Amino acid sequence: MFHSPQLLQYLEQELALPPETIAMALRQWQQQRGSLPIILWQYGLITLEQLDRIFEWLDQTRGDHLPQVL
């Protein structure tokens, strides 16, 4: 599954996740190749509410030029 630069920007700017947190999640994503938002949640890096916000954002942007990231 993919992650996009736009998703990473959203995580950092809108959810205020520190770059170190995103980097750690990306390392896990490289090993598991799952859904980046789910990995963030599974490792306790985001709340369930933040996970919902990410999925809402993905749904809104899916029709744009972004690749499907789930």
Side-chain angles (χ1 to χ4, degrees):
M1 305 290 176
F2 302 103
H3 67 274
S4 68
Q6 292 86 354
L7 174 59
L8 300 180
Q9 182 178 8
Y10 176 81
L11 295 173
E12 191 170 343
Q13 292 180 357
E14 298 297 323
L15 295 184
L17 294 180
E20 300 82 19
T21 297
I22 297 170
M24 193 281 290
L26 286 172
R27 285 191 297 275
Q28 293 302 319
W29 176 81
Q30 288 174 338
Q31 293 175 2
Q32 298 176 16
R33 294 293 179 183
S35 168
L36 184 59
I38 295 295
I39 289 171
L40 286 163
W41 177 70
Q42 285 177 329
Y43 283 88
L45 303 172
I46 61 172
T47 65
L48 190 55
E49 179 182 308
Q50 289 172 312
L51 181 62
D52 285 340
R53 286 179 57 193
I54 293 169
F55 285 140
E56 287 174 13
W57 179 82
L58 289 170
D59 284 341
Q60 291 172 357
T61 60
R62 190 170 287 150
D64 294 344
H65 60 281
L66 299 177
Q68 186 170 347
V69 294
L70 296 177

